């Protein structure tokens, strides 16, 4: 029975810190691939630790634990993670320090008794479960945002958990396991917690500053969108003014022809005007004037660029959400699709397909071909390194979160398909 609980404790030592490392890491692969990698790394690490424990004893296993965990982790993360090396080191040594601190606390709770391995394993698992929950619930979002946007400072920050770890190894594990230094180790971890609190304050301040900047960029994008909408409405007014001016001249000409008895010429002039008015009449996609004008504008731009646009739109008269917000999202989607089509290799037909369903729920879908590879963020949306781009997708994400919309992205077979569904209030 004792061997069973020793194995359980080794599994806890392998699975939990690796879980924290993977939660803190941004991956370039899909979430399912990251989960598979995590499971593989955890099993390899746990198996090696169990083997060392039974072959060479607890002391050797503890002294080599970092290597048995680090080597599989680093190899796997080198292929799958998109974080810079300094950030990966910070993640790894932070997780290992958490493990050693919780291991010490677990040993102290059972009064250092070796016959209570089962209790130690359960206490360690419970403490680490709390740590994982707190990080996932409160810190994961801001931390990943900072990791993606804070370009400098990670080398210096990564040194802190590294030095703390090496000091713990020196005080407690080398040249042999020592328990008389536990007070010193706990004091060192207390100082480390204080340093982490200071780092957290810096992170929190930086996160708030970056969030403000991001909101300003989104607001700027919204202002630009409203300016485009204003220009479209202005162009419509100018066209209407020109049409009214032409209509006055037309009526004057028809009256002159009728007064001189040239009825056939008057009819020809009237028919020509009716035909030209039909040709210039804007497309009608829905009854909402804001959404219709923006759809007409961006669909027209796409078609002028040589893109085939297929439409299957059943847009309700009463929209379930604000028309301006919906128009902004749809316009961003069409514009992003047009950019993707512009990047297609020569000979491949560019096309955009728009579908809107009104029943049983309001659903909007856009599809288009794309070239190259797409990188997705933690929200499952594509990211870009192109200067001046990327705000559109962030606007779309803000819209989805605000309206609690359900969205889905599929990028299989070179076709980009994005759909979202909203429910009526």
């Amino acid at each position: 029975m004792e061997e069973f609980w020793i194995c359980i404790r080794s599994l806890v030592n392998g699975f939990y810190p690796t879980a924290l490392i993977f939660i803190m890491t941004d991956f370039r692969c899909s979430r399912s691939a990251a989960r598979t990698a995590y499971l593989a790394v955890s099993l390899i690490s746990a198996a090696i630790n169990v083997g060392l424990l039974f072959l060479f004893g607890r002391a050797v296993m503890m002294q080599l634990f970092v290597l048995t965990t680090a080597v599989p982790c680093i190899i796997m993360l080198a292929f799958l993670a998109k974080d810079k090396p300094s950030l990966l080191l910070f993640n790894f040594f932070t997780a290992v320090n958490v493990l050693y601190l919780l291991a010490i606390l677990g040993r102290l709770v059972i009064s250092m008794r070796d016959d209570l391995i089962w209790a130690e394993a359960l206490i360690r698992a419970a403490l680490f479960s709390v740590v994982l929950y707190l990080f996932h619930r409160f810190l994961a979002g801001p931390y990943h945002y900072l990791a993606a946007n804070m370009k400098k400072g990670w080398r210096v920050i990564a040194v802190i958990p590294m030095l703390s770890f090496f000091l713990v190894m020196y005080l407690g594990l080398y040249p042999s396991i020592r328990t008389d230094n536990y007070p010193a180790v706990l004091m060192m971890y207390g100082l480390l917690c204080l340093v982490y609190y200071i780092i957290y304050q810096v992170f929190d301040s930086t996160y708030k500053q970056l969030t403000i900047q991001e909101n300003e960029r989104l607001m700027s994008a919204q202002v630009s969108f409203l300016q485009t909408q204003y220009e479209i409405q202005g162009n419509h007014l100018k066209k209407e003014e020109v049409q009214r001016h032409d209509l006055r001249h037309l009526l004057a000409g028809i009256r002159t022809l009728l007064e001189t008895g040239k009825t056939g010429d008057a009819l020809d002039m009237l028919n020509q005007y009716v035909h030209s008015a039909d040709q210039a009449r804007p497309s009608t996609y829905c009854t909402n004037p804001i959404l219709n004008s923006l759809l007409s504008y961006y669909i027209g731009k796409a078609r002028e660029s040589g893109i085939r646009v297929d439409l299957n739109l059943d847009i309700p008269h009463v929209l379930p959400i604000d028309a301006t917000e919906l128009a902004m999202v749809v316009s961003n989607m069409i514009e992003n699709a047009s950019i993707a089509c512009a990047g297609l290799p020569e000979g491949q037909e560019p096309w955009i397909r728009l579908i809107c369903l009104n029943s049983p729920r309001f659903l909007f879908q856009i599809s288009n071909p794309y070239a190259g590879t797409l990188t997705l963020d933690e929200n499952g949306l594509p990211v870009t390194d192109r200067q001046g781009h990327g705000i559109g997708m962030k606007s779309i994400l803000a819209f989805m979160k605000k309206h609690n919309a359900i969205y889905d992205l599929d990028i299989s077979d070179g076709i980009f398909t994005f759909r979202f569904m909203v429910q009526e209030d």
Side-chain angles (χ1 to χ4, degrees):
M1 193 64 179
E2 181 179 354
E3 289 78 7
F4 170 78
W5 285 107
I6 290 175
C7 293
I8 294 298
R9 186 176 62 183
S10 297
L11 290 174
V12 170
N13 293 342
F15 276 77
Y16 277 88
T18 308
L20 183 56
I21 294 170
F22 272 68
I23 290 176
M24 297 174 72
T25 302
D26 279 326
F27 292 92
R28 61 169 61 96
C29 61
S30 64
R31 295 181 181 179
S32 59
R35 293 190 191 100
T36 303
Y38 158 71
L39 184 61
V41 169
S42 300
L43 289 174
I44 292 172
S45 175
I48 295 174
N49 288 329
V50 170
L52 290 174
L53 181 65
F54 285 103
L55 291 175
F56 302 101
R58 181 168 175 265
V60 174
M61 185 273 292
M62 291 183 64
Q63 290 173 341
L64 297 179
F65 172 78
V66 173
L67 287 178
T68 61
T69 305
V71 173
C73 251
I74 291 173
I75 292 176
M76 193 70 69
L77 295 178
F79 290 98
L80 301 181
K82 63 181 180 180
D83 291 330
K84 59 184 67 176
S86 56
L87 187 55
L88 291 177
L89 288 175
F90 175 81
N91 296 343
F92 178 81
F93 283 103
T94 295
V96 172
N97 278 318
V98 171
L99 173 66
Y100 276 110
L101 174 59
L102 298 185
I104 292 173
L105 294 177
R107 294 286 293 171
L108 292 176
V109 169
I110 64 172
S111 302
M112 311 296 292
R113 291 174 56 181
D114 291 332
D115 59 326
L116 295 177
I117 297 177
W118 63 272
E120 180 185 356
L122 294 178
I123 292 171
R124 194 175 299 186
L127 291 174
F128 228 115
S129 297
V130 172
V131 170
L132 290 176
Y133 170 77
L134 292 176
F135 183 87
H136 179 74
R137 178 67 176 82
F138 299 104
L139 299 177
Y143 179 75
H144 285 294
Y145 184 84
L146 286 170
N149 293 277
M150 200 170 80
K151 304 302 181 182
K152 298 180 180 179
W154 287 109
R155 292 180 181 178
V156 176
I157 295 175
V159 171
I160 297 172
M162 288 176 59
L163 291 178
S164 300
F165 165 75
F166 289 126
L167 182 58
V168 168
M169 295 291 286
Y170 172 74
L171 291 175
L173 295 177
Y174 286 96
S176 60
I177 297 179
R178 299 175 56 185
T179 59
D180 58 313
N181 278 336
Y182 271 11
V185 172
L186 289 174
M187 183 177 297
M188 190 278 301
Y189 272 132
L191 292 175
L192 182 62
C193 290
L194 178 61
V195 172
Y196 266 88
Y197 177 74
I198 296 173
I199 293 175
Y200 169 78
Q201 294 295 326
V202 175
F203 276 5
D204 185 60
S205 176
T206 305
Y207 174 69
K208 290 179 180 177
Q209 182 178 358
L210 290 174
T211 302
I212 292 173
Q213 294 175 358
E214 186 67 29
N215 290 336
E216 289 177 350
R217 286 194 292 267
L218 289 175
M219 187 175 296
S220 176
Q222 292 174 349
V223 170
S224 176
F225 171 79
L226 292 175
Q227 288 176 343
T228 302
Q229 181 181 342
Y230 177 78
E231 292 174 2
I232 293 172
Q233 297 296 336
N235 291 335
H236 287 171
L237 292 175
K238 290 179 180 178
K239 289 181 180 179
E240 290 177 359
E241 184 178 351
V242 171
Q243 289 174 353
R244 285 195 298 269
H245 181 269
D246 292 343
L247 182 60
R248 286 197 298 270
H249 287 283
L250 174 72
L251 294 176
I254 291 175
R255 184 180 63 181
T256 301
L257 290 173
L258 291 175
E259 288 175 348
T260 57
K262 299 179 179 180
T263 308
D265 293 337
L267 288 174
D268 290 340
M269 181 179 291
L270 183 60
N271 289 331
Q272 290 178 5
Y273 177 80
V274 171
H275 178 73
S276 62
D278 289 338
Q279 294 291 324
R281 182 179 302 162
S283 302
T284 301
Y285 302 105
C286 66
T287 57
N288 185 278
I290 296 176
L291 182 57
N292 188 71
S293 63
L294 269 297
L295 282 172
S296 300
Y297 175 75
Y298 283 98
I299 291 174
K301 281 185 61 178
R303 285 174 170 165
E304 289 173 4
S305 301
I307 301 173
R308 189 186 87 237
V309 182
D310 301 325
L311 303 173
N312 181 14
L313 302 178
D314 179 22
I315 301 175
H317 175 71
V318 179
L319 297 171
I321 46 181
D322 181 76
T324 302
E325 293 181 351
L326 179 61
M328 182 175 181
V329 169
V330 173
S331 300
N332 277 323
M333 292 167 64
I334 299 175
E335 190 172 34
N336 290 340
S338 300
I339 294 173
C341 287
L344 293 175
E346 187 176 355
Q348 183 175 354
E349 182 188 12
W351 56 267
I352 299 174
R353 183 175 298 114
L354 298 174
I355 298 175
C356 181
L357 303 178
N358 184 33
S359 179
R361 293 287 186 268
F362 182 85
L363 181 141
F364 197 95
Q365 174 179 304
I366 185 169
S367 302
N368 60 271
Y370 70 94
T373 58
L374 290 178
T375 301
L376 305 182
D377 61 15
E378 65 276 5
N379 298 299
L381 295 177
V383 295
T384 178
D385 295 329
R386 295 177 59 187
Q387 187 67 26
H389 295 276
I391 299 299
M393 272 299 170
K394 293 178 180 178
S395 302
I396 292 173
L397 178 61
F399 170 87
M400 300 301 162
K401 290 182 177 179
K402 177 179 179 181
H403 296 283
N404 197 26
I406 301 172
Y407 65 90
D408 174 64
L409 173 64
D410 181 70
I411 52 175
S412 58
D413 301 325
I415 304 298
F416 178 98
T417 301
F418 182 83
R419 64 184 66 87
F420 67 90
M421 182 179 69
V422 295
Q423 301 184 26
E424 296 185 11
D425 297 333

